[in-house]
Amino acid sequence: MAFGIKRKALMEWKRKIDEGEIAFITHYWFDERFPDCKTITKVGCHDLDQLAAWGRKHGLKREWIHIRKNGYSHYDLLGDVQERILKAEGIGTNLNG
């Protein structure tokens, strides 16, 4: 279950994806399967080849992309992988902005 997403942040994430950028959005999240994970980062891009290339750089497989008909296909990052990749990308997890 996702929560804590501000509309402005979601619209900015979608705008970046629409413009062909690799876009990041982090929000609070709860899933019983992952009790130690409190947040999730979605990394999206309209160009699936570009997104897959970005993922390979971080050890992610193309088949892990969540394909969405609406064009907002993305990887879900959580736990240690989320922390490692966000650090490598120089991105914090500020959820107050």
Side-chain angles (χ1 to χ4, degrees), residues 16-36:
K16 287 180 178 180
I17 289 173
D18 290 341
E19 292 178 359
E21 296 180 41
I22 299 287
F24 299 79
I25 190 168
T26 300
H27 59 82
Y28 292 107
W29 178 74
F30 175 76
D31 187 312
E32 292 175 348
R33 298 171 297 169
F34 306 98
D36 295 332

Side-chain angles (χ1 to χ4, degrees), residues 49-63:
D49 291 332
Q50 182 181 355
L51 184 59
W54 176 89
R56 273 193 308 278
K57 180 175 85 171
H58 293 288
L60 305 177
K61 296 180 180 179
R62 184 184 188 105
E63 56 264 27

Side-chain angles (χ1 to χ4, degrees), residues 6-17:
K6 295 189 177 198
R7 181 170 177 74
K8 181 178 178 182
L10 180 60
M11 298 310 292
E12 179 69 9
W13 182 73
K14 288 182 173 184
R15 182 193 63 76
K16 287 180 178 180
I17 289 173

Side-chain angles (χ1 to χ4, degrees), residues 48-80:
L48 293 179
D49 291 332
Q50 182 181 355
L51 184 59
W54 176 89
R56 273 193 308 278
K57 180 175 85 171
H58 293 288
L60 305 177
K61 296 180 180 179
R62 184 184 188 105
E63 56 264 27
W64 296 345
I65 297 172
H66 294 257
I67 306 295
R68 297 291 186 248
K69 291 180 184 178
N70 66 5
Y72 300 108
S73 298
H74 60 275
Y75 283 106
D76 284 336
L77 308 180
L78 55 143
D80 294 339

